[in-house]
């Protein structure tokens, strides 16, 4: 064993974890559509790098060390990590993001977890939150340095920024009361805490009650998806990383709210990993919280005020973040999620620091040169797995480039780029959707057939991709496949009963297929959803007329009335 | 071969054994191996801290205690380390932020939209 190399690997592991805690909340990439894709990529890469450094350290030292006092906690985390990997869904990069949390927890617990790491982590979290707060405040005052104005600054949403400040503020306490630190350091801690408080106050002041209330139906729908997924498979879950795909594809209304309202934890874990995953999650997080509180009390009683402040701050941070994750679902997003697992790991490490010197060591029964050779396949394997989040980010960039070409009036160029993306993730699915839409804009049969094939590919990956279902039904209608079209519209209507646009084509298909009663029912639903649309009433009247002309007369009158009302409203509008 | 693997395994955790950091069951196993293996036992004796070695206590040079106390007093009055000295983690984080900032300078379309392209309704 080369002791210097082991020491350097220890330092590298600590630096990796602290850098991730600082960087992930601040990282933004303006050339990708999804504000979370870069953060998710960094989270996965950081977790993989941490695991790799820990393994490299163990290979160099010739042993895997498990502190006896941390065995139970490490066992829970390892179980959750293993279960997440076993339940990985087809979206491998999303599954990796879900497994990154327990991996980071383990990396802290079995790696640098100690009072000094806890102090450094407090600095990282506080500095990151303060920088995010400063950027958000600058943006609110009109001094946004980047050509992008998200509501939550670099965090991506107001609720995430709020949760981040809430988590960071308790971390300032042990730094400002640390009498062994220099005056300059304590002043810096005060300044960063003040920035976080300003961000928190600004975030609270900017919360729009009306907007939050309007977003509640979307939240309810998202919760409905969660409950549905859990009910379908309570023990196994839907699969790690599956949730974001279901929410995007099954509920377009909820998808628009997704950046603001990601799924709640631990309910999201329950939906993806089933009851075992949810129980392990709860045991780890609540266990770390209660252990930190007890340790704070013990240290305070034994006169270790510095240590007690650290433990108390970690417990407070963890508690607030868990609550924020339950209410606003902050911890499903990459940045607060990363903090949750790092702070939980650090809290558990602090609580078990006493007695962690005694270890159970599993020796690697190989000489040093052979152990070092193993680092080569380890590095290669990690690089290969790191390619998954990088590929996802690459997909986002390609989608953005193609969408820019489309908006600049080059549909052919855009189509070529859309077709380079395979429908295996959100970017690929949306590329298929946009490509199909471009093809359907052309009126020749070949383009419609190609559009149909593109959509079929997307639905092979996700059979309930709602927008693709609708476009597929449109394509079938143009190809005069009335039965297929009717089935497609009907399925879309079942998945999205509140969307009025599907009922007119559904009624037309049913009329064509000789189902007048079905056609009337669909037209009736249309006017129920769009009671102020004169065209909807006219269509309803015409549909009823084909079945019963006498019954249609009052409906035509109603259509005329609605049209007159609509015109009167338009005339009454004041001129600018 | 088995003995060689056992010796490699023991050698890799010998320092933990000497420091008394192994769990009780494992410590007993290593102790039993040392009793049976002269080479591992010799290696363990090499790793023993100096204080435990049977040797005549070394004589400290004259004035050593005063010199140490003098250096200690000098250090305690020395100015504290500057706040802005970067740790490896801080350097990595700042370097990565700088790299991110540079990546925004690479030509290519940026998006002003918060929502992903996914949420656009089909026309």
């Amino acid at each position: 064993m080369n002791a210097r190399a082991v020491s350097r690997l220890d330092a590298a592991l600590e630096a990796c974890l602290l850098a991730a805690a600082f960087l992930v909340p601040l990282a933004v990439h303006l050339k990708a559509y999804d504000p979370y894709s870069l953060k998710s990529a960094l989270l996965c890469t950081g977790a993989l790098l941490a695991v790799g450094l820990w393994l490299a350290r163990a290979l160099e030292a010739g042993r895997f060390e498990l502190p006896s006092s941390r065995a139970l906690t490490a066992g829970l985390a390892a179980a959750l990590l293993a279960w997440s990997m076993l339940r990985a869904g087809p979206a491998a990069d999303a599954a990796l993001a879900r497994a990154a949390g327990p991996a980071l927890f383990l990396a802290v617990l079995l790696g640098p977890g100690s009072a000094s790491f806890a102090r450094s982590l407090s600095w990282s979290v506080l500095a990151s939150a303060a920088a995010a707060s400063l950027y958000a405040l600058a943006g609110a005052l009109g001094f946004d340095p980047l050509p992008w104005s998200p509501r939550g600054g670099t965090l991506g949403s107001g609720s995430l920024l709020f949760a981040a400040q809430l988590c960071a503020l308790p971390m300032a306490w042990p730094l400002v009361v640390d009498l062994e630190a220099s005056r300059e350091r304590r002043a810096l801690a005060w300044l960063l805490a003040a920035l976080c408080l300003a961000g928190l106050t600004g975030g609270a002041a900017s919360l729009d009650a009306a907007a939050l209330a309007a977003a509640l139906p979307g939240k309810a729908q998202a919760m409905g998806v969660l409950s549905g997924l859990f009910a379908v498979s309570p023990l196994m879950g839907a699969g790690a990383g599956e949730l974001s795909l279901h929410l995007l594809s099954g509920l377009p209304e909820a998808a628009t709210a997704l950046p603001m309202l990601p799924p709640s934890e631990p309910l999201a874990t329950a939906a993806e990993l089933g009851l075992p995953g949810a129980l392990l999650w709860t045991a780890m997080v609540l266990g770390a919280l209660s252990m930190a509180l007890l340790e704070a009390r013990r240290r305070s009683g034994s006169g270790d005020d510095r240590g007690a402040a650290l433990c108390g701050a970690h417990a407070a941070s963890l508690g607030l973040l868990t609550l924020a994750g339950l209410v606003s679902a902050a911890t499903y997003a990459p940045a607060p999620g990363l903090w949750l697992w790092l702070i939980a790991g650090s809290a558990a490490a602090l609580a078990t620091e006493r007695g962690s010197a005694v270890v159970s060591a599993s020796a690697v029964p190989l000489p040093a040169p052979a152990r070092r050779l193993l680092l080569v396949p380890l590095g290669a394997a990690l690089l290969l797995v790191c390619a998954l989040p990088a590929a996802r980010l690459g997909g986002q960039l390609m989608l953005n480039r193609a969408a820019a070409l489309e908006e600049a009036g080059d549909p052919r160029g855009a189509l070529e780029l859309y077709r380079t993306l395979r429908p295996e993730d959100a970017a690929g699915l949306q590329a298929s959707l946009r490509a199909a839409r471009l093809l359907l804009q052309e009126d020749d049969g070949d383009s419609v057939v190609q559009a149909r094939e593109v959509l079929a590919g997307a639905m092979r990956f996700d059979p309930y991709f709602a927008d693709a279902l609708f476009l597929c039904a449109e394509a079938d209608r143009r190809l005069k496949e009335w039965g297929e079209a009717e089935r497609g519209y009907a399925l879309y209507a079942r998945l999205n009963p509140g969307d009025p646009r599907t009922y007119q084509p559904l009624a037309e298909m049913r009329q064509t297929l000789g189902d007048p009663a079905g056609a009337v029912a669909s037209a009736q639903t249309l006017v129920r959803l769009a009671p102020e649309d004169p065209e909807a009433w006219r269509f309803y009247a015409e549909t009823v007329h084909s079945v019963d002309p006498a019954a249609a007369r009052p409906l035509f009158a109603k259509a005329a009335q609605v049209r007159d009302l609509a015109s009167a409203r338009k005339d009454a509008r004041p001129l600018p | 071969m088995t003995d060689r693997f056992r010796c490699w395994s023991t050698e890799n955790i010998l320092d933990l054994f000497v420091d008394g950091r192994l769990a009780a069951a494992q410590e007993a196993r290593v102790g039993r191996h040392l009793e049976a293996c002269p080479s591992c036992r010799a290696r363990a004796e090499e790793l023993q801290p100096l204080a435990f070695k049977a040797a005549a206590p070394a004589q400290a040079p004259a004035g050593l205690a005063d010199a140490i106390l003098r250096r200690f007093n000098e250090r305690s009055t020395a100015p504290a380390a500057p706040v802005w000295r970067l740790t490896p983690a801080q350097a990595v984080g700042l370097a990565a932020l700088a790299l991110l900032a540079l990546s925004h300078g690479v030509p290519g379309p940026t998006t002003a939209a918060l929502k992903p392209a996914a949420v656009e309704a089909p026309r």
Side-chain angles (χ1 to χ4, degrees):
Chain A
M1 167 172 79
N2 184 333
R4 189 178 287 183
V6 170
S7 167
R8 282 193 180 142
L9 287 167
D10 282 336
L13 174 56
E14 184 170 345
C16 170
L17 293 169
L18 295 174
F22 175 71
L23 194 61
V24 171
L26 300 178
V28 293
H29 195 34
L30 300 179
K31 296 175 176 33
Y33 262 107
D34 182 358
Y36 306 110
S37 57
L38 178 63
K39 294 185 194 308
S40 185
L42 285 175
L43 167 67
C44 295
T45 309
L48 284 169
L49 192 59
V51 167
L53 286 168
W54 183 79
L55 286 172
R57 189 250 185 232
L59 284 174
E60 181 57 45
R63 66 207 179 211
F64 292 91
E65 295 176 19
L66 176 61
S68 305
S69 60
R70 295 172 180 174
L72 178 61
T73 320
L76 287 175
L80 183 57
L81 177 61
W83 186 240
S84 303
M85 285 162 65
L86 280 171
R87 293 298 300 136
D93 58 314
L96 192 60
R98 297 297 281 150
L104 286 166
F105 183 99
L106 271 176
V108 172
L109 193 66
L110 301 181
S114 62
S116 75
F117 176 79
R119 197 170 303 280
S120 302
L121 182 64
S122 301
W123 275 112
S124 276
V125 168
L126 188 63
S128 184
S133 175
L134 190 62
Y135 177 79
L137 287 170
L141 292 170
F143 298 112
D144 193 337
L146 298 174
W148 176 49
S149 302
R151 277 159 283 187
T154 59
L155 271 296
S157 82
S159 61
L160 293 182
L161 180 66
F162 191 81
Q165 305 309 322
L166 211 58
C167 166
L169 270 172
M171 299 296 240
W173 178 244
L175 306 177
V176 304
V177 300
D178 185 5
L179 296 175
E180 292 187 27
S182 66
R183 228 181 349 214
E184 289 85 1
R185 277 188 182 269
R186 277 185 278 145
L188 182 62
W190 271 116
L191 177 64
L192 296 177
L195 277 172
C196 289
L197 191 61
L200 189 72
T201 316
S206 71
L207 283 177
D208 186 349
L212 283 174
L216 280 176
K219 175 76 170 176
Q221 277 183 306
M223 295 299 286
V225 170
L226 278 179
S227 315
L229 285 172
F230 182 69
V232 162
S233 185
L235 277 181
M236 303 299 279
E242 283 293 284
L243 197 58
S244 53
L245 218 50
H246 278 276
L247 282 172
L248 272 175
S249 63
L251 293 163
E253 291 81 9
T256 59
L258 191 61
M260 294 289 289
L261 296 168
S264 293
E265 286 282 29
L267 304 173
T269 300
E272 287 188 348
L273 301 178
L275 207 50
L279 288 174
L280 284 168
W281 190 101
T282 310
M284 283 170 62
V285 172
L286 293 185
L289 179 59
S290 47
M291 280 159 65
L293 282 171
L294 289 170
E295 181 67 10
R297 202 170 130 189
R298 189 195 70 78
R299 289 193 188 214
S300 176
S302 65
D304 178 11
D305 292 332
R306 285 179 94 214
L310 263 181
C311 294
H314 271 55
S317 244
L318 190 57
L320 287 169
L321 205 46
T322 308
L323 197 60
L326 193 62
V327 170
S328 76
T331 49
Y332 190 80
L338 168 82
W339 280 1
L340 178 83
W341 289 109
L342 286 179
I343 295 174
S346 181
L350 270 177
T352 52
E353 199 173 10
R354 203 166 52 135
S356 63
V358 175
V359 301
S360 300
S362 301
V364 180
L366 292 170
R371 295 200 311 267
R372 281 177 197 135
L373 268 179
L374 286 177
L375 290 174
V376 174
L378 172 68
L382 284 176
L383 273 174
L384 206 64
V385 183
C386 276
L388 289 171
R392 187 185 186 194
L393 187 59
Q396 284 283 330
L397 299 179
M398 184 65 81
L399 177 65
N400 192 17
R401 209 176 315 147
L405 275 181
E406 185 183 340
E407 282 160 28
D410 179 10
R412 288 269 157 222
L415 203 55
E416 273 176 35
L417 289 183
Y418 285 140
R419 287 190 143 166
T420 60
L421 291 169
R422 293 169 57 165
E424 289 168 349
D425 58 16
L429 287 176
Q430 293 317 308
S432 300
L433 186 70
R434 292 179 83 107
R437 204 184 320 140
L438 280 176
L439 287 164
L440 285 174
Q441 280 172 3
E442 298 180 28
D443 226 349
D444 58 292
D446 280 343
S447 299
V448 177
V449 168
Q450 282 177 46
R452 186 75 178 72
E453 283 167 12
V454 165
L455 292 166
M459 289 195 297
R460 257 195 299 276
F461 182 72
D462 185 357
Y464 299 107
F465 185 16
D467 290 341
L469 272 171
F470 185 86
L471 282 182
C472 212
E474 289 274 294
D476 286 331
R477 190 163 72 131
R478 287 207 209 167
L479 294 170
K480 296 185 173 41
E481 290 176 20
W482 312 121
E484 293 287 331
E486 191 271 341
R487 273 192 287 280
Y489 285 128
L491 182 55
Y492 182 85
R494 266 208 303 283
L495 289 174
N496 300 279
D499 189 353
R501 65 183 167 167
T502 194
Y503 292 101
Q504 183 166 338
L506 181 58
E508 286 166 357
M509 292 300 99
R510 284 176 170 167
Q511 263 186 326
T512 308
L513 290 168
D515 178 13
V520 167
S522 300
Q524 200 171 35
T525 311
L526 174 63
V527 296
R528 205 184 63 243
L529 292 171
E532 292 180 9
D533 184 356
E535 290 307 314
W537 279 101
R538 182 160 183 84
F539 177 74
Y540 180 37
E542 284 169 357
T543 309
V544 170
H545 179 77
S546 63
V547 175
D548 183 355
R553 261 185 243 117
L555 295 173
F556 279 113
K558 175 73 176 176
Q561 195 183 19
V562 171
R563 188 189 58 231
D564 291 340
L565 272 170
S567 304
R569 261 199 296 273
K570 209 185 311 181
D571 292 339
R573 233 179 289 145
L575 292 168
Chain B
M1 194 65 154
T2 315
D3 285 341
R4 190 175 290 180
F5 276 121
R6 208 170 285 140
C7 284
W8 280 334
S9 300
T10 305
E11 188 179 328
N12 289 339
I13 60 173
L14 214 46
D15 59 319
L16 292 173
F17 173 79
V18 164
D19 290 340
R21 289 182 54 204
L22 281 180
Q26 207 168 17
E27 193 174 10
R29 265 201 309 275
V30 171
R32 280 197 295 276
H33 176 76
L34 291 182
E35 280 168 17
C37 177
S39 60
C40 288
R41 195 165 53 243
R43 184 88 184 99
E45 276 169 17
E46 274 175 34
L47 289 175
Q48 285 283 353
L50 285 171
F52 290 104
K53 289 197 173 169
Q59 290 294 322
L64 177 65
D66 291 333
I68 290 173
L69 280 172
R70 208 178 315 120
R71 286 288 294 277
F72 182 76
N73 287 332
E74 280 169 17
R75 277 211 177 158
S76 64
T77 55
V83 167
W84 55 84
R85 185 188 290 175
L86 294 177
T87 62
Q90 289 164 349
V92 168
L94 289 173
L97 259 187
L99 205 64
L100 263 175
L102 280 173
S103 76
H104 288 298
V106 171
T110 61
T111 178
L114 175 62
K115 292 182 295 187
V119 301
E120 288 179 22
R123 286 190 281 275

